[in-house]
Amino acid sequence: MQRKFLLLSLIFLVFSCEEEEKKLTFLEKSITTEHNKIVEINIPEAQGNEAVATKINKALQAIVITSLNFEPEASTKSLSILESIDNFNTEYKNFNTDFPESPMQWEAQIDGEIMYQSEAVISVALTSYLNTGGAHGNLIISFLNFDALTGQLLKNEDLVNDIKTFKTIARDYFNDQIAGKEADYFEPDNFILPQNIGFNNIGVVLLYNNYEIAPYATGLTEFTIPFNDLVPYLNFM
């Protein structure tokens, strides 16, 4: 009887270890190259379930590569992050050669964080700031939502089951957010959903980047709709 108990315990331990290895976790990864001086990258790296982690990591890497590349249409097909970092540095050297009198210093910083993680969905925010000599730098935040079971990158329309009702609720929160500042927006009465929709521990986050619905001076517009107002309309709860 004791031998059987030990055998069952060993089987349970092995099974538990295998399940733990499959559990998806994230570590922060800093990426640079030998001669890099102006690019700083710190992004989450998925580990655990290899098939799921690979899909997520490839999607995050593609955003980073596109952000650094001056020809984004070809970047994700032909370059790695390391190649993109070196190319960005090379472009800056070429700029200095062509305009030696310019005091402008280029910089690129890309940071990522896990906004939300459940057994159903994972939301990641990537913030990229690039300054390549213009009047001001270019700040872009990208939300990426993944199916936690498959690693599949989700579209905004995959997140909700009733887009019409979702948009109505979002419009009310948007109007509250910009109350008294309507003049700062292009068409405040013509509500559109943002390109960035994600999750945090409170609810669903909607974020508009610079120029998406307002001039640069207005900055980002962001608000959160609590889960309690949206549970019937969400696919990943």
Side-chain angles (χ1 to χ4, degrees):
M1 180 65 70
Q2 185 177 7
R3 184 177 298 177
K4 289 183 178 180
F5 177 77
L6 290 174
L7 181 59
L8 289 173
S9 297
L10 180 60
I11 293 173
F12 177 77
L13 179 61
V14 172
F15 179 77
S16 298
C17 291
E18 289 178 351
E19 288 299 309
E20 190 67 27
E21 288 178 358
K22 291 181 180 179
K23 184 178 179 181
L24 203 66
T25 59
F26 289 89
L27 299 177
E28 182 178 279
K29 183 176 183 179
S30 297
I31 306 173
T32 188
T33 62
E34 182 179 358
H35 300 293
N36 173 47
K37 295 182 179 179
I38 57 177
V39 179
E40 182 177 345
I41 298 175
N42 302 286
I43 60 173
E45 181 177 70
Q47 298 183 347
N49 186 311
E50 184 176 354
V52 175
T54 297
K55 286 184 179 180
I56 293 175
N57 291 333
K58 282 185 177 180
L60 296 177
Q61 291 164 12
I63 296 293
V64 173
I65 293 169
T66 299
S67 298
L68 292 175
N69 204 270
F70 289 86
E71 297 179 1
E73 291 183 358
S75 63
T76 57
K77 296 181 180 180
S78 59
L79 296 177
S80 66
I81 290 182
L82 298 181
E83 290 170 325
S84 298
I85 292 173
D86 286 338
N87 282 1
F88 193 89
N89 279 268
T90 297
E91 289 289 344
Y92 175 59
K93 291 178 182 178
N94 293 338
F95 172 82
N96 267 339
T97 300
D98 294 337
F99 304 97
E101 73 286 353
S102 175
M104 180 59 65
Q105 297 291 318
W106 285 22
E107 62 176 316
Q109 181 166 349
I110 302 175
D111 296 303
E113 64 172 333
I114 306 300
M115 300 169 57
Y116 180 80
Q117 182 176 2
S118 71
E119 294 181 355
V121 65
I122 299 167
S123 288
V124 182
L126 286 182
T127 301
S128 66
Y129 175 80
L130 273 68
N131 191 338
T132 56
H136 51 70
N138 189 25
L139 174 69
I140 298 178
I141 298 177
S142 302
F143 290 172
L144 290 86
N145 299 293
F146 300 93
D147 186 320
L149 296 178
T150 66
Q152 183 67 38
L153 182 62
L154 301 170
K155 299 178 181 179
N156 286 343
E157 52 264 35
D158 297 328
L159 304 177
V160 297
N161 56 51
D162 186 344
I163 192 68
K164 183 177 180 181
T165 302
F166 177 80
K167 186 175 180 180
T168 298
I169 296 172
R171 181 189 291 112
D172 291 339
Y173 276 88
F174 174 79
N175 289 336
D176 289 342
Q177 179 72 17
I178 70 168
K181 301 178 290 185
E182 290 85 354
D184 296 338
Y185 291 82
F186 296 139
E187 298 181 63
D189 295 329
N190 183 24
F191 176 75
I192 59 171
L193 290 171
Q195 295 178 11
N196 284 318
I197 299 175
F199 297 89
N200 64 18
N201 290 329
I202 297 173
V204 177
V205 186
L206 289 84
L207 181 143
Y208 298 86
N209 274 302
N210 293 325
Y211 299 118
E212 193 171 348
I213 57 171
Y216 181 85
T218 302
L220 306 175
T221 299
E222 179 181 3
F223 59 93
T224 301
I225 306 174
F227 283 127
N228 289 341
D229 290 350
L230 292 173
V231 168
Y233 316 111
L234 298 177
N235 288 328
F236 292 88
M237 288 299 298

